[in-house]
Amino acid sequence: MESAVVNTAETKDRKARRKPESLSKIKSAARKLFVERGYDSTRPQDIAREAGLGHGTFYLHYPDKRACFLAFVEEARQEMDVHLRDARRPGQALEQVITATLNAIYDYCDSHPGVLRAAMTDAAVIDAGGGPDTPLMARWGEEWSQIIREAAAGGTACSSYDAAIIGQAIAGALHQAAKEGARGQQCRRALADNLTRFLVRALRPD
Amino acid sequence: MESAVVNTAETKDRKARRKPESLSKIKSAARKLFVERGYDSTRPQDIAREAGLGHGTFYLHYPDKRACFLAFVEEARQEMDVHLRDARRPGQALEQVITATLNAIYDYCDSHPGVLRAAMTDAAVIDAGGGPDTPLMARWGEEWSQIIREAAAGGTACSSYDAAIIGQAIAGALHQAAKEGARGQQCRRALADNLTRFLVRALRPD
Amino acid sequence: MESAVVNTAETKDRKARRKPESLSKIKSAARKLFVERGYDSTRPQDIAREAGLGHGTFYLHYPDKRACFLAFVEEARQEMDVHLRDARRPGQALEQVITATLNAIYDYCDSHPGVLRAAMTDAAVIDAGGGPDTPLMARWGEEWSQIIREAAAGGTACSSYDAAIIGQAIAGALHQAAKEGARGQQCRRALADNLTRFLVRALRPD
Amino acid sequence: MESAVVNTAETKDRKARRKPESLSKIKSAARKLFVERGYDSTRPQDIAREAGLGHGTFYLHYPDKRACFLAFVEEARQEMDVHLRDARRPGQALEQVITATLNAIYDYCDSHPGVLRAAMTDAAVIDAGGGPDTPLMARWGEEWSQIIREAAAGGTACSSYDAAIIGQAIAGALHQAAKEGARGQQCRRALADNLTRFLVRALRPD
DNA sequence: TATGAATGAGCATTCATTCAT
DNA sequence: CATGAATGAATGCTCATTCAT
């Protein structure tokens, strides 16, 4: 009797969850392969196979390869967002915001190796005619713009900059330094330390 | 008999001239198409046709498409190099170096629209498994590193930075700011002005 | 408890009724879609969805897509048959039979737009290797053969024709004239009038 | 010496003909397969293989499968046209025109079995969204319209018909009679004889 | 009886590269 | 040195059908 109830419950659960189950398999398989091989070298078929599913199942969840990649990027962006929000405390001075942010970024990179690299694949690689959304870099540039605007308003950052420009510049600086720092096996501490000082000086109020 | 002689003479002449001739046709056709359509959408066949030559001729000059693109990138890099060298004067203070460099870059972009964008195509797009050479961005990062090292040695830049890191950061900052600046139709003057001040402050000796 | 009883009652009721219910839903959904989109562009899934049922339900009623289409065709044929029977009166002279038949056909086309067109889809489209039943056109050809035979026997039609051949010819003539008449926006009256005179003359006894 | 000359000649010839050579291989392979298997069951790959060529070669000659089929249809139409023109003599009376035409059609069907059947594949099978040209049947209907108009003008056919309608009807009649005649193994003579009489009577001037 | 997630064979098409001339 | 016809591996995607629930 009880088992019947349990069974029913299980059944309902399964019914409700079955789709999401295969979706999440596809999702993580896609993430794994996009990270390991990149967008171009990952076929929908590979993703499905990696997930232990048939080819067609992929198209049950995404209309095409591009949509799957975009979903992966969005997921990474949101994870990163949460990570950053957790790292920042309201009322922090600019220097602390910068330190906290850089540390959060490098933490994320350490714990999710390759994910950001993959997620930042140039839009040109993905699009086949369609218009893309704002790339990850540009979004982060805008977030920095916002930080600068607020700091400038609060008097903790130089207010004579065009925040839109400098925000993008900062995003670019962090990205490229990390990218080539990774190449040169520069240790993460040096990276965080140098960039923090660099930005703090550059943004310090007059 | 006579025809044989003529033929030989012609042949020699042609041999001496034709290869370079057709090479340069291929080169500029490739440049044009890579800039207009990007790497992926440009087929060797298109390049040859644009050059007014047969498809096979392409492979007389380049072992494959990738090599052709890399040659295009290298050419752009060298042009840019010359441009930068012309802009800088020995003995300039760091601020002047920065101003001169930024102006040179934006000049180049104005006079060669699209070339840098195309040349900086992500390595992931080009490689199909093989390892690439140092990307353009990394090289420019290194050049900035060198500038910083020299300025630090001369006492016109803060010497407590790791030049390797900061050099890359600067290259990244310029690139991303220009890329998104272009999106936002930001005028080039504001770009150059903001970035110059940003870098000057960040690098100013203690 | 009560609910159980109700449930059971409902279930029985449903059991008895549901199959026909869902079958007729499938039937009319199929008809709608075959008419609107044609055979190739209609998926069993679309039919089930249009019927407000699950995909699998389709296969509860038809072994495959082909069978479903064939059933649609058969239904149309029978409707048409009834329509024709209603139009004809025993003892009519050939001319009257022809007039009545043509009018009945055009009536049906007007009141069921697209149905005949869809139902007459070439056998080649439907079969994937298997052998089809007699196509609609051939059946109608045979019916005309019969009409001719009877008229010839009754002395109201020329008896020197091979009825099998001429029957098919008539069916073909009506079909093609209607098809292209539709293209040219020819009005139905002209069509009926011309074809009636044409057939009457052709079949008139010597 | 001589061989050299011959060689050169051959070489030129080959160069000039190589493309057309593979084109004609593709053409006849396509014709063979379209006739044997129909449009849907014939893959570009099969055509190329049948022609003894690589898959890609197909796309050197036709932009897609549809274009290849349309070319096949057009070729058949032109062959038939020539056949009909050869059969008709200027100044023939309507009855003779009809007899000659029917004989020409059945001749063609005998000597090119299956070709017309394949070529008349319904437009719905071929199109995938694009607009087709006038189908074969409609064209032949128009030709019959013309014949009728001329005969009516010359007083050898009833002039009270709408030639556009009756032309299509005749084309349909011939098609369907032949199609089902073929099924029933009706001998061609009976077909031609019955249809000729049928048409002659129907068209005879008042 | 009803469901709908899962399947995977099958298809049209592309394009970097080769090689006979 | 130059050609361009030929190649075929590779890809993204569809859809009729099955089957566990």
mmCIF file of all heavy atoms in Angstrom, chain A residues 121-143:
data_model
loop_
_atom_site.group_PDB
_atom_site.id
_atom_site.type_symbol
_atom_site.label_atom_id
_atom_site.label_comp_id
_atom_site.label_asym_id
_atom_site.label_seq_id
_atom_site.Cartn_x
_atom_site.Cartn_y
_atom_site.Cartn_z
ATOM 1 N N THR A 121 34.466 32.401 -26.464
ATOM 2 C CA THR A 121 34.669 32.173 -27.892
ATOM 3 C C THR A 121 34.071 33.332 -28.687
ATOM 4 O O THR A 121 32.935 33.728 -28.464
ATOM 5 C CB THR A 121 33.993 30.867 -28.322
ATOM 6 O OG1 THR A 121 34.580 29.802 -27.603
ATOM 7 C CG2 THR A 121 34.146 30.634 -29.805
ATOM 8 N N ASP A 122 34.847 33.807 -29.587
ATOM 9 C CA ASP A 122 34.424 34.963 -30.380
ATOM 10 C C ASP A 122 33.086 34.703 -31.077
ATOM 11 O O ASP A 122 32.846 33.620 -31.601
ATOM 12 C CB ASP A 122 35.502 35.278 -31.419
ATOM 13 C CG ASP A 122 35.330 36.680 -31.959
ATOM 14 O OD1 ASP A 122 34.296 36.954 -32.571
ATOM 15 O OD2 ASP A 122 36.228 37.497 -31.735
ATOM 16 N N ALA A 123 32.250 35.711 -31.071
ATOM 17 C CA ALA A 123 30.932 35.593 -31.695
ATOM 18 C C ALA A 123 31.046 35.143 -33.148
ATOM 19 O O ALA A 123 30.191 34.416 -33.658
ATOM 20 C CB ALA A 123 30.192 36.923 -31.608
ATOM 21 N N ALA A 124 32.136 35.552 -33.799
ATOM 22 C CA ALA A 124 32.313 35.235 -35.217
ATOM 23 C C ALA A 124 32.341 33.729 -35.440
ATOM 24 O O ALA A 124 31.965 33.227 -36.494
ATOM 25 C CB ALA A 124 33.601 35.861 -35.740
ATOM 26 N N VAL A 125 32.800 32.992 -34.442
ATOM 27 C CA VAL A 125 32.907 31.540 -34.582
ATOM 28 C C VAL A 125 31.525 30.906 -34.567
ATOM 29 O O VAL A 125 31.269 29.903 -35.225
ATOM 30 C CB VAL A 125 33.727 30.949 -33.416
ATOM 31 C CG1 VAL A 125 34.012 29.485 -33.666
ATOM 32 C CG2 VAL A 125 35.018 31.721 -33.227
ATOM 33 N N ILE A 126 30.656 31.511 -33.792
ATOM 34 C CA ILE A 126 29.357 30.895 -33.531
ATOM 35 C C ILE A 126 28.326 31.214 -34.602
ATOM 36 O O ILE A 126 27.615 30.359 -35.073
ATOM 37 C CB ILE A 126 28.819 31.368 -32.160
ATOM 38 C CG1 ILE A 126 29.780 30.915 -31.086
ATOM 39 C CG2 ILE A 126 27.434 30.838 -31.899
ATOM 40 C CD1 ILE A 126 29.969 31.926 -30.024
ATOM 41 N N ASP A 127 28.279 32.452 -34.957
ATOM 42 C CA ASP A 127 27.209 32.891 -35.842
ATOM 43 C C ASP A 127 27.370 32.363 -37.233
ATOM 44 O O ASP A 127 28.454 32.319 -37.773
ATOM 45 C CB ASP A 127 27.169 34.407 -35.891
ATOM 46 C CG ASP A 127 26.822 34.947 -34.537
ATOM 47 O OD1 ASP A 127 26.060 34.275 -33.830
ATOM 48 O OD2 ASP A 127 27.331 36.010 -34.194
ATOM 49 N N ALA A 128 26.237 32.040 -37.781
ATOM 50 C CA ALA A 128 26.227 31.678 -39.193
ATOM 51 C C ALA A 128 25.152 32.531 -39.839
ATOM 52 O O ALA A 128 24.217 32.034 -40.414
ATOM 53 C CB ALA A 128 25.952 30.203 -39.356
ATOM 54 N N GLY A 129 25.309 33.832 -39.710
ATOM 55 C CA GLY A 129 24.329 34.717 -40.320
ATOM 56 C C GLY A 129 23.435 35.423 -39.314
ATOM 57 O O GLY A 129 23.073 36.562 -39.507
ATOM 58 N N GLY A 130 23.082 34.716 -38.258
ATOM 59 C CA GLY A 130 22.179 35.318 -37.273
ATOM 60 C C GLY A 130 22.872 36.349 -36.408
ATOM 61 O O GLY A 130 24.092 36.393 -36.328
ATOM 62 N N GLY A 131 22.133 37.192 -35.790
ATOM 63 C CA GLY A 131 22.712 38.220 -34.927
ATOM 64 C C GLY A 131 22.867 37.698 -33.508
ATOM 65 O O GLY A 131 21.957 37.082 -32.976
ATOM 66 N N PRO A 132 24.001 37.884 -32.907
ATOM 67 C CA PRO A 132 24.260 37.358 -31.576
ATOM 68 C C PRO A 132 23.833 38.358 -30.507
ATOM 69 O O PRO A 132 23.541 39.510 -30.803
ATOM 70 C CB PRO A 132 25.770 37.225 -31.564
ATOM 71 C CG PRO A 132 26.240 38.345 -32.454
ATOM 72 C CD PRO A 132 25.129 38.673 -33.399
ATOM 73 N N ASP A 133 23.798 37.875 -29.294
ATOM 74 C CA ASP A 133 23.584 38.798 -28.192
ATOM 75 C C ASP A 133 24.915 39.473 -27.848
ATOM 76 O O ASP A 133 25.930 39.184 -28.463
ATOM 77 C CB ASP A 133 23.073 38.025 -26.980
ATOM 78 C CG ASP A 133 21.652 37.564 -27.197
ATOM 79 O OD1 ASP A 133 21.033 38.043 -28.160
ATOM 80 O OD2 ASP A 133 21.187 36.719 -26.429
ATOM 81 N N THR A 134 24.860 40.353 -26.894
ATOM 82 C CA THR A 134 26.090 41.019 -26.464
ATOM 83 C C THR A 134 27.093 39.975 -25.980
ATOM 84 O O THR A 134 26.744 39.119 -25.183
ATOM 85 C CB THR A 134 25.803 41.967 -25.298
ATOM 86 O OG1 THR A 134 24.528 42.537 -25.481
ATOM 87 C CG2 THR A 134 26.856 43.032 -25.179
ATOM 88 N N PRO A 135 28.326 40.081 -26.446
ATOM 89 C CA PRO A 135 29.323 39.110 -26.003
ATOM 90 C C PRO A 135 29.633 39.282 -24.508
ATOM 91 O O PRO A 135 29.417 40.347 -23.924
ATOM 92 C CB PRO A 135 30.543 39.427 -26.844
ATOM 93 C CG PRO A 135 30.184 40.523 -27.760
ATOM 94 C CD PRO A 135 28.830 41.010 -27.429
ATOM 95 N N LEU A 136 30.161 38.226 -23.944
ATOM 96 C CA LEU A 136 30.479 38.193 -22.529
ATOM 97 C C LEU A 136 31.391 39.354 -22.124
ATOM 98 O O LEU A 136 31.143 40.037 -21.112
ATOM 99 C CB LEU A 136 31.177 36.862 -22.237
ATOM 100 C CG LEU A 136 30.786 36.118 -20.977
ATOM 101 C CD1 LEU A 136 29.302 36.220 -20.731
ATOM 102 C CD2 LEU A 136 31.218 34.668 -21.086
ATOM 103 N N MET A 137 32.429 39.571 -22.914
ATOM 104 C CA MET A 137 33.393 40.634 -22.576
ATOM 105 C C MET A 137 32.698 41.983 -22.469
ATOM 106 O O MET A 137 32.952 42.756 -21.542
ATOM 107 C CB MET A 137 34.476 40.714 -23.659
ATOM 108 C CG MET A 137 35.539 39.659 -23.560
ATOM 109 S SD MET A 137 36.533 39.853 -22.057
ATOM 110 C CE MET A 137 37.289 41.443 -22.375
ATOM 111 N N ALA A 138 31.846 42.258 -23.426
ATOM 112 C CA ALA A 138 31.175 43.562 -23.431
ATOM 113 C C ALA A 138 30.298 43.725 -22.189
ATOM 114 O O ALA A 138 30.233 44.804 -21.601
ATOM 115 C CB ALA A 138 30.342 43.713 -24.696
ATOM 116 N N ARG A 139 29.662 42.640 -21.796
ATOM 117 C CA ARG A 139 28.806 42.718 -20.607
ATOM 118 C C ARG A 139 29.630 43.009 -19.372
ATOM 119 O O ARG A 139 29.242 43.809 -18.520
ATOM 120 C CB ARG A 139 28.061 41.396 -20.409
ATOM 121 C CG ARG A 139 27.120 41.099 -21.558
ATOM 122 C CD ARG A 139 26.335 39.845 -21.305
ATOM 123 N NE ARG A 139 25.330 40.059 -20.285
ATOM 124 C CZ ARG A 139 24.179 39.383 -20.242
ATOM 125 N NH1 ARG A 139 23.916 38.495 -21.163
ATOM 126 N NH2 ARG A 139 23.328 39.609 -19.279
ATOM 127 N N TRP A 140 30.753 42.342 -19.279
ATOM 128 C CA TRP A 140 31.589 42.576 -18.113
ATOM 129 C C TRP A 140 32.176 43.986 -18.152
ATOM 130 O O TRP A 140 32.339 44.634 -17.111
ATOM 131 C CB TRP A 140 32.664 41.499 -18.010
ATOM 132 C CG TRP A 140 32.095 40.193 -17.548
ATOM 133 C CD1 TRP A 140 30.968 40.042 -16.794
ATOM 134 C CD2 TRP A 140 32.584 38.884 -17.803
ATOM 135 N NE1 TRP A 140 30.723 38.718 -16.557
ATOM 136 C CE2 TRP A 140 31.699 37.969 -17.156
ATOM 137 C CE3 TRP A 140 33.667 38.360 -18.500
ATOM 138 C CZ2 TRP A 140 31.877 36.589 -17.198
ATOM 139 C CZ3 TRP A 140 33.848 36.992 -18.533
ATOM 140 C CH2 TRP A 140 32.959 36.108 -17.898
ATOM 141 N N GLY A 141 32.460 44.433 -19.351
ATOM 142 C CA GLY A 141 32.933 45.817 -19.487
ATOM 143 C C GLY A 141 31.890 46.783 -18.938
ATOM 144 O O GLY A 141 32.217 47.732 -18.213
ATOM 145 N N GLU A 142 30.646 46.494 -19.266
ATOM 146 C CA GLU A 142 29.582 47.381 -18.770
ATOM 147 C C GLU A 142 29.455 47.333 -17.254
ATOM 148 O O GLU A 142 29.189 48.345 -16.603
ATOM 149 C CB GLU A 142 28.243 46.993 -19.414
ATOM 150 C CG GLU A 142 28.081 47.616 -20.798
ATOM 151 C CD GLU A 142 27.024 46.905 -21.632
ATOM 152 O OE1 GLU A 142 26.077 46.352 -21.028
ATOM 153 O OE2 GLU A 142 27.163 46.893 -22.876
ATOM 154 N N GLU A 143 29.660 46.156 -16.709
ATOM 155 C CA GLU A 143 29.595 46.059 -15.250
ATOM 156 C C GLU A 143 30.703 46.882 -14.588
ATOM 157 O O GLU A 143 30.472 47.563 -13.580
ATOM 158 C CB GLU A 143 29.654 44.597 -14.808
ATOM 159 C CG GLU A 143 28.338 43.876 -15.107
ATOM 160 C CD GLU A 143 28.391 42.387 -14.791
ATOM 161 O OE1 GLU A 143 29.288 41.965 -14.034
ATOM 162 O OE2 GLU A 143 27.531 41.650 -15.316
#
